Amino acid sequence: MYYKMTLEDKVRVPPNRLGEDLEKVILDVLQEQLEGSITKEIGIYIAVTKVLNIGQGELIPGDGAIYYDVRFEALVLRLALQEVIEGQVVETTGFGAFVSLGPIDAMLHVSQISDDYISYDEKNARLICQESKRYIAVGDGIRARVVALSLNEREPRESKIGLTMRQSGLGTGRWLEEELEREKERGAAHGGA
Amino acid sequence: MESYTRYERARIIGARALQLSMGAPLLINTVYTEPLEIALEEFEHGVIPITVKRK
């Protein structure tokens, strides 16, 4: 889920930027430092939006920079296990599909796509369900559940997020529409009887 | 201007000289080129934006 958070941190303002507007410098430093980074407790930083409050600066021996206590507002994505999320397929391979969740990509393994047998159509870059003939292609919007979460704070790109679609209500937009249609037909048949 | 002990004076001028040497903008017009000399002159003029927190 996405959160708009108010956070506090110490910010180092380098001396060569002292002549400029302090609020702007601090916002720059925070954006440079945090955007795209990951912490386990907070999540994935997407943007630092606003500086709310700048405390008194402090000088530390041996460093010409000034350290300010700053309260600021940031937009973060914090994923939780079992959370249902929506994303877009950005790449398909023989072992599954990569799904973009916005700031980070997640992995949807072939074994977690459907109860069907899945085969990979290399020419069209599609993963095809053998029985139902449904398929997943690059660009499809999907709804899936987070089942594995391994965030790497040092190397955000090395983080691994596993998804599943083997549950009712999960799948690509097209599957969900088909499912809804079927559901409606069944409902109508029951109503008539 | 507030009066400082010689230790505080050294700390303030030292910190300011380091800032200047790392590229901080000058607060006075000066003929000096050495950060330490500039810091001393700024201190004499009382324009250094540094205060001492006494415990």
Side-chain angles (χ1 to χ4, degrees):
Chain A
M1 204 195 289
Y2 291 90
Y3 293 87
K4 190 162 132 189
M5 302 183 103
T6 303
L7 300 164
E8 274 177 42
D9 201 0
K10 266 212 181 343
V11 178
R12 177 184 188 272
V13 175
N16 57 335
R17 301 203 59 182
L18 281 178
E20 301 166 41
D21 178 36
L22 186 60
E23 199 173 309
K24 192 181 173 303
V25 175
I26 286 178
L27 193 63
D28 279 356
V29 171
L30 280 171
Q31 287 175 343
E32 177 72 24
Q33 206 177 320
L34 294 180
E35 286 181 6
S37 71
I38 294 180
T39 51
K40 288 221 168 82
E41 304 81 55
I42 292 169
I44 304 158
Y45 288 93
I46 296 162
V48 178
T49 47
K50 217 179 351 184
V51 173
L52 298 174
N53 182 41
I54 302 171
Q56 207 172 25
E58 266 179 37
L59 293 167
I60 287 167
D63 187 359
I66 305 174
Y67 291 79
Y68 288 97
D69 281 315
V70 178
R71 177 156 352 120
F72 58 96
E73 208 175 77
L75 182 67
V76 301
L77 171 61
R78 188 193 290 164
L79 293 169
L81 280 173
Q82 313 307 334
E83 182 180 339
V84 174
I85 45 94
E86 291 191 339
Q88 194 177 27
V89 177
V90 288
E91 194 190 346
T92 53
T93 68
F95 55 88
F98 288 95
V99 180
S100 165
L101 305 180
I104 200 163
D105 285 359
M107 169 79 212
L108 178 63
H109 192 257
V110 273
S111 63
Q112 294 302 323
I113 290 176
S114 163
D115 294 336
D116 267 2
Y117 179 81
I118 310 280
S119 59
Y120 180 47
D121 175 0
E122 214 166 318
K123 281 191 189 128
N124 297 311
R126 282 175 181 172
L127 288 156
I128 300 167
C129 302
Q130 206 87 92
E131 305 248 318
S132 58
K133 298 295 171 206
R134 300 184 300 184
Y135 66 88
I136 299 179
V138 172
D140 283 356
I142 67 157
R143 184 178 293 163
R145 190 185 289 278
V146 178
V147 286
L149 202 53
S150 156
L151 296 176
N152 190 330
E153 297 187 3
R154 289 248 185 99
E155 282 292 329
R157 289 167 153 272
E158 292 294 303
S159 298
K160 289 172 182 68
I161 299 167
L163 304 176
T164 186
M165 297 203 311
R166 281 176 74 168
Q167 283 174 6
S168 63
L170 304 179
T172 72
R174 212 174 310 113
W175 301 6
L176 294 175
E177 273 170 35
E178 286 167 11
E179 215 164 283
L180 188 67
E181 283 303 313
R182 264 203 304 281
E183 208 56 41
K184 270 184 188 161
E185 275 166 31
R186 207 174 304 155
H190 268 275
Chain B
M1 199 175 83
E2 211 177 330
S3 77
Y4 294 109
T5 67
R6 52 186 154 162
Y7 309 104
E8 291 163 350
R9 194 175 119 91
R11 178 77 178 92
I12 291 171
I13 293 169
R16 180 63 189 158
L18 185 60
Q19 286 182 356
L20 291 170
S21 78
M22 288 172 77
L26 304 188
L27 298 172
I28 50 163
N29 287 316
T30 178
V31 294
Y32 295 115
T33 51
E34 277 295 306
L36 186 56
E37 288 169 336
I38 300 168
L40 272 163
E41 195 179 340
E42 283 185 349
F43 187 78
E44 297 304 323
H45 284 77
V47 293
I48 298 183
I50 295 174
T51 53
V52 177
K53 270 198 247 173
R54 297 195 174 97
K55 286 215 174 127

